[in-house]
Amino acid sequence: MRFLHTSDWHLGRRFHTEDLIPAQEIFLDHLVDTARAEHVDALLVAGDIYDRAIPSLDAVRLFNRALHQFADLDVPTIMISGNHDSAHRLGVGSGLLARAGIHLKTDPDACDIPVLLEDADGPVAVYGIPYLEPSMVRDRLEAEAVSHRAVLTAALDRIQADLTNNQPAGTRSVVLAHAFVTSGTGQPEERDESEEADSEREIAVGGVAHVGSDVFHGIDYVALGHLHGPQRVTDRIHYSGSPLAYSFSEARHTKSITLVDLTPNAVPALTRQPCPVPLRLERVTGFMEDLLTNPDHEPLKDAWLEVTLTDTALPFEAMARLRRRFPHTASLKHKPAHIPAQATNTPTYSQRIRGRGDLDIAGDFISSMRGTGPTPDEHALLQQAVQASRHNEQQKETV
């Protein structure tokens, strides 16, 4: 059986000031054309359909257009909600859409109800696990703890029970999930991009964000979403990555969708199919005068550009002047090449918070205000407050 695995569309997202709706429309047309040309048996979409819980009207219109395209393919489409989506909003009309072959899996309570497919080699059960916010689903799933590992384990226990008790012997299994999954060593086994992309929203508060691949033991193929670089976790667990770059930290990514051939008693065979690139991403560092006059920089006119200026003082109207030569300049940074020695070791605010969670930032604030960090009791209160804030935001989308 052949699947086409994709994820992290983030419909409605902008690239700095650039509107990405036209590029996302081109990608969705490409996705449908690939599904048709490759004669796929099902389309798998592993979460983060939208970029925001309340998407823009243009994003909703584009998604509506895509749903009609998927229905016309006449093959099943299985989709889950991600941490950027409002599961409740995305799941509206799911019962009706299922009649058209589009299966929106946004309810954690239904994670063990599969979409059943069949080919010449027998049945395939496809399960969808939407993004699980531990504090909100722990009781519903009867998980052992409020953690990503605990709630995913509880969901997989339900799936394994369904495979054992309700499906014929030899049924192949596919699971869609939206999570940070590692090979067990703390990082995905093969990640060409050595760090998480800036556009991958944090999914943990005061706890471990990632879960080990052993949670998915016994599943024939796991189609993951959340990380934006296509990569292998194990032979049977893969991220498709996002179809477009959503930050300059993804400049080295090769964006793709993943063709998966699933046969009995064999490791799935994967083929990465490249996605259309609206404009390439480039980063350049230098003095303003050189950037504006040096002919060697001419090819940068046709790229989305992140510029780091090294002038001692930030030049007047720097962005406007850069855009006159490089019309797609999207990001401007200032890092002087010659600065006083005492300032060299002073990190900027953005450098201090980069890659840090809300809990760490709150702790740093207390340290800067009174000269000592939070006590263990204060740390526990901060963790409760940050977790409550996240819980309240999630609850607004589901109640």
Side-chain angles (χ1 to χ4, degrees):
M1 186 168 288
R2 172 167 282 189
F3 299 99
L4 189 55
H5 170 198
T6 176
S7 72
D8 295 275
W9 299 347
H10 293 277
L11 300 182
R13 189 182 184 97
R14 299 181 71 84
F15 186 79
H16 296 269
T17 60
E18 300 281 346
D19 182 7
L20 289 180
I21 288 288
Q24 291 172 332
E25 182 175 331
I26 290 171
F27 159 70
L28 289 170
D29 289 343
H30 169 73
L31 179 68
V32 170
D33 290 344
T34 302
R36 188 174 287 116
E38 297 291 344
H39 306 288
V40 302
D41 298 296
L43 179 63
L44 311 178
V45 188
D48 280 355
I49 310 302
Y50 290 120
D51 187 58
R52 292 184 290 174
I54 304 177
S56 66
L57 287 177
D58 284 341
V60 173
R61 292 188 186 105
L62 182 55
F63 183 53
N64 181 65
R65 176 179 179 269
L67 290 176
H68 284 82
Q69 291 177 296
F70 298 155
D72 290 342
L73 280 174
D74 200 29
V75 298
T77 298
I78 301 98
M79 316 174 83
I80 61 172
S81 49
N83 60 303
H84 280 247
D85 299 309
S86 164
H88 185 72
R89 288 188 175 92
L90 186 63
V92 168
S94 57
L96 292 174
L97 287 170
R99 299 181 187 180
I102 299 170
H103 304 272
L104 288 168
K105 299 291 188 177
T106 63
D107 182 1
D109 292 335
C111 65
D112 57 345
I113 301 175
V115 176
L116 297 175
L117 309 175
E118 189 157 358
D119 64 5
D121 294 315
V124 177
V126 182
Y127 299 88
I129 304 175
Y131 169 70
L132 302 175
E133 181 65 33
S135 63
M136 295 190 66
V137 301
R138 186 253 179 111
D139 292 338
R140 294 168 63 183
L141 294 178
E142 299 179 332
E144 293 182 354
V146 181
S147 70
H148 288 278
R149 181 177 180 87
V151 295
L152 266 175
T153 297
L156 266 296
D157 286 346
R158 291 188 176 196
I159 289 170
Q160 295 288 6
D162 181 75
L163 281 168
T164 300
N165 301 324
N166 302 325
Q167 307 305 329
T171 297
R172 286 164 287 167
S173 56
V174 174
V175 169
L176 285 74
H178 194 88
F180 187 178
V181 179
T182 71
S183 61
T185 60
Q187 290 293 331
E189 189 168 313
E190 289 183 3
R191 183 174 175 114
D192 293 335
E193 306 76 34
S194 60
E195 339 179 292
E196 291 178 77
D198 293 341
S199 53
E200 295 164 3
R201 182 181 295 170
E202 180 195 14
I203 60 173
V205 176
V208 177
H210 61 79
V211 300
S213 58
D214 59 301
V215 167
F216 298 96
H217 177 74
I219 303 300
D220 292 294
Y221 182 71
V222 180
L224 291 176
H226 179 58
L227 299 184
H228 287 186
Q231 58 207 272
R232 168 190 183 276
V233 181
T234 72
D235 285 343
R236 298 181 182 274
I237 304 175
H238 292 263
Y239 284 96
S240 65
S242 63
L244 297 171
Y246 293 118
S247 69
F248 279 101
S249 63
E250 300 171 54
R252 294 186 294 116
H253 292 196
T254 300
K255 298 301 183 180
S256 62
I257 50 182
T258 305
L259 277 171
V260 184
D261 288 304
L262 187 66
T263 56
N265 306 315
V267 172
L270 270 66
T271 306
R272 308 281 190 190
Q273 297 272 13
C275 292
V277 179
L279 288 175
R280 74 185 190 280
L281 271 60
E282 297 285 356
R283 287 168 150 166
V284 64
T285 298
F287 293 100
M288 173 70 90
E289 184 65 23
D290 178 73
L291 293 174
L292 295 182
T293 60
N294 191 331
D296 290 345
H297 299 313
E298 194 67 15
L300 298 178
K301 292 174 66 174
D302 299 320
W304 276 328
L305 196 61
E306 180 182 80
V307 177
T308 300
L309 291 176
T310 55
D311 301 72
T312 301
L314 182 64
F316 179 67
E317 293 187 338
M319 180 63 90
R321 293 166 64 190
L322 285 166
R323 282 182 172 170
R324 282 195 284 272
R325 184 179 189 190
F326 309 111
H328 302 290
T329 302
S331 175
L332 174 61
K333 298 181 178 182
H334 183 220
K335 188 176 181 180
H338 304 291
I339 55 178
Q342 64 270 24
T344 305
N345 297 322
T346 304
T348 64
Y349 177 73
S350 61
Q351 289 171 333
R352 293 199 306 272
I353 68 170
R354 182 174 298 142
R356 310 196 73 193
D358 293 339
L359 184 61
D360 290 336
I361 294 170
D364 283 353
F365 175 78
I366 290 177
S367 299
S368 66
M369 289 297 99
R370 70 182 188 197
T372 60
T375 66
D377 287 344
E378 290 171 337
H379 186 276
L381 286 171
L382 283 173
Q383 182 167 335
Q384 290 176 29
V386 175
Q387 185 68 56
S389 175
R390 178 191 287 269
H391 184 277
N392 289 340
E393 288 300 312
Q394 291 283 335
Q395 199 168 41
K396 288 177 185 178
E397 304 304 328
T398 57
V399 175

